[in-house]
Amino acid sequence: MSAELRHYQVAAIDLVWRAMAEGRRRPILMMATGAGKTKTAAEIITRAVAKGKRVVMTMPAIELIDQTVQALWNEGIRDVGVIQADHPMTDYSRPVQVASVQTLSRRKLPETDLVIVDEAHRAHKIIFQWMQQCPKLPFIGLSATPWTKGLGKHYDDLIIAATTQQLIREGYLSPFRVFAPSHPDLTGVRTVAGDYAEDDLAEAMDKPQLTADVVSTWLKLGENRPTLCFAVNRAHARSLERDFKRAEVPCGYVDGNSEPSERREVKQAFERGDIRVVVNVGVLTTGVDWDVRCLILARPTKSEMLYVQIIGRALRLAHGKADAIILDHSDTTLNLGFVTDIHHEKLSDGNERKGSASSRPERPAPKPKECLSCTRLKPAGVRKCPSCGFEPHKMEAVETSQGELAHLGGKQIKASMDDKRRWYSMLLWHEEFKQYKHGWAANKYREKFGVWPNGIDVKPAQPDVQVGNWIRSTQIRWYKGQEKAKKAAEGAQHAA
């Protein structure tokens, strides 16, 4: 066994062999991004080949074939063939085969003694068909996020080798800071197959004000670090690329249709520092070992797997890298929690029912909170911001008086003086914090209640969720109004 193996890799390999010896022939090995899956797989392959066994290692994407062959070569495994189209390394006589799942689905399945499935959470149909055709053939799944629904129908054990939290604590992954500089309005965005519908999502995110905010935030908080930016679709990605270039930030672009040569050129330019930001659409979520020190999440998601895979791109260690910066413009961290808090102890069998004690999910960790001073996200229960030191203070108690009618959105509603004082104190706080012109709070108060805050004397207090959301909604309406007016003006000019 290689002396270079880390302690959790050694333990993981031992647990895999033990599981298989005990009859669990299809375990999944969960190793967080950066844990060294390929190195661990190489040790398993080396042991199997030493016993005269043949091994097939499957890859979910063509671009990972050569990368994996090179990684195995670096680990001393040289007797390797490739199953992928007309690859120059095609040689079925080799004891180790690196295979594309796309090619496997179109050819006769190879004879082998062991299958190692990389990115097993992708749940490729051909792998499950292979399992059915060869019920005694052992399969070892590898994944940082083995949480796909129904995966437990095909694999029979989950071995947790290393979590993201553990790897950061032990110094194998980079710590990170998350900022939530903007909050998208996803009202009306449908959910399809458990995640946001891409066309709706793109329409919500591909707005001039939002893409410009991504760039201005990076200029402010990104520290000019090498950065990956994740967009919703090609049109959204091109808008982000355009805005970065307008700001004179060297920016590259890749998507699923980019030629391998284009991707190599972008990667090389990124590594040289000629490009600071690479905008992509879903193609840099796995198998990427670039030196990424800042990540922009401009693609909201409800998928824990996609979210963890994306954030993982920024957590690899690098020389001189103290931490990673995550600029989350999607509210995903606020909704799903920090990646270090997402954890599952078992595979899904696809039969989970609401309220079932046997299938009840693990209790999620409390969600992070946003610092209202610098927008950094901090763990629940942490009052003082670790970045700027801001600590919120509770609003002083106010006297309650008899309610009176106030005008709101064309309706007469009941609003007590208690409510009015609370709202005005929080609007004053926001006015001071944002350094708005004097009178902003009074105007917003009038917009809310239909009257001026005459005679109300209160001290500024940090806004609660209700007031903060209301302020945010008025800002979104204002931006939409500006966009509508601009389009109307452009239309009139064009008609003239």
Side-chain angles (χ1 to χ4, degrees), residues 57-197:
M57 186 171 182
T58 69
M59 293 291 115
I62 293 173
E63 59 267 20
L64 298 179
I65 294 290
D66 290 342
Q67 180 177 308
T68 301
V69 170
Q70 182 63 52
L72 294 178
W73 180 276
N74 293 341
E75 294 298 327
I77 301 173
R78 311 290 171 84
D79 206 359
V80 179
V82 171
I83 303 175
Q84 185 257 307
D86 55 352
H87 196 283
M89 290 184 65
T90 298
D91 185 346
Y92 293 108
S93 68
R94 304 286 185 178
V96 179
Q97 298 288 320
V98 177
S100 158
V101 290
Q102 291 83 1
T103 302
L104 288 175
S105 65
R106 298 190 298 267
R107 296 185 183 178
K108 180 182 177 180
L109 294 171
E111 294 290 330
T112 189
D113 301 298
L114 172 66
V115 180
I116 298 176
V117 183
D118 193 29
E119 306 294 349
H121 62 275
R122 296 281 189 95
H124 288 283
K125 185 177 180 181
I126 184 60
I127 299 297
F128 298 152
Q129 290 175 342
W130 198 354
M131 289 178 170
Q132 291 176 344
Q133 291 179 25
C134 305
K136 294 183 179 180
L137 179 63
F139 286 74
I140 300 173
L142 303 176
S143 176
T145 55
W147 310 322
T148 305
K149 187 174 182 180
L151 207 58
K153 291 181 178 180
H154 308 281
Y155 293 90
D156 56 14
D157 196 9
L158 175 62
I159 298 171
I160 301 174
T163 65
T164 300
Q165 188 173 45
Q166 172 192 341
L167 294 178
I168 292 175
R169 184 175 63 246
E170 296 182 4
Y172 295 116
L173 285 183
S174 169
F176 59 92
R177 292 174 281 152
V178 183
F179 295 86
S182 60
H183 305 277
D185 180 10
L186 302 183
T187 303
V189 176
R190 296 168 297 156
T191 298
V192 177
D195 206 353
Y196 296 112

Side-chain angles (χ1 to χ4, degrees), residues 230-274:
F230 288 83
V232 178
N233 63 6
R234 294 185 181 92
H236 182 219
R238 288 299 189 187
S239 295
L240 289 163
E241 178 194 24
R242 176 201 63 219
D243 284 357
F244 271 110
K245 288 182 175 178
R246 282 178 177 173
E248 299 183 349
V249 176
C251 183
Y253 170 94
V254 293
D255 64 30
N257 291 334
S258 300
E259 294 294 332
S261 58
E262 293 179 71
R263 297 190 193 186
R264 283 194 297 271
E265 289 176 5
V266 170
K267 179 183 179 181
Q268 290 167 1
F270 187 77
E271 291 173 340
R272 291 193 305 267
D274 297 339

Side-chain angles (χ1 to χ4, degrees), residues 199-374:
D199 52 350
D200 292 353
L201 190 60
E203 184 178 351
M205 298 299 294
D206 193 7
K207 301 276 180 67
Q209 188 274 329
L210 294 179
T211 56
D213 184 56
V214 168
V215 176
S216 62
T217 297
W218 184 84
L219 291 171
K220 179 182 177 182
L221 298 175
E223 300 178 1
N224 199 36
R225 296 185 179 201
T227 301
L228 287 189
C229 176
F230 288 83
V232 178
N233 63 6
R234 294 185 181 92
H236 182 219
R238 288 299 189 187
S239 295
L240 289 163
E241 178 194 24
R242 176 201 63 219
D243 284 357
F244 271 110
K245 288 182 175 178
R246 282 178 177 173
E248 299 183 349
V249 176
C251 183
Y253 170 94
V254 293
D255 64 30
N257 291 334
S258 300
E259 294 294 332
S261 58
E262 293 179 71
R263 297 190 193 186
R264 283 194 297 271
E265 289 176 5
V266 170
K267 179 183 179 181
Q268 290 167 1
F270 187 77
E271 291 173 340
R272 291 193 305 267
D274 297 339
I275 291 176
R276 303 309 293 171
V277 178
V278 175
V279 183
N280 85 103
V281 186
V283 297
L284 299 179
T285 55
T286 57
V288 177
D289 55 1
W290 300 9
D291 182 1
V292 178
R293 306 195 180 203
C294 177
L295 187 143
I296 300 171
L297 185 52
R299 189 247 190 265
T301 181
K302 294 183 177 181
S303 167
E304 288 182 337
M305 290 188 295
L306 178 58
Y307 168 56
V308 171
Q309 293 281 353
I310 287 175
I311 300 300
R313 300 310 102 201
L315 302 186
R316 292 184 184 275
L317 298 176
H319 178 70
K321 179 180 179 180
D323 64 8
I325 295 175
I326 313 297
L327 303 178
D328 186 353
H329 292 262
S330 69
D331 274 355
T332 303
T333 306
L334 285 170
N335 293 330
L336 298 183
F338 293 119
V339 291
T340 46
D341 294 331
I342 297 176
H343 188 62
H344 299 274
E345 295 286 348
K346 58 185 179 180
L347 298 174
S348 163
D349 62 6
N351 297 319
E352 292 85 358
R353 294 182 179 178
K354 207 170 184 179
S356 169
S358 61
S359 60
R360 190 170 296 138
E362 297 88 349
R363 178 176 295 179
K367 299 299 187 290
K369 303 296 182 183
E370 178 184 350
C371 172
L372 295 179
S373 177
C374 70

Side-chain angles (χ1 to χ4, degrees), residues 372-383:
L372 295 179
S373 177
C374 70
T375 76
R376 177 168 176 176
L377 300 187
K378 53 187 179 178
V382 174
R383 292 182 57 81

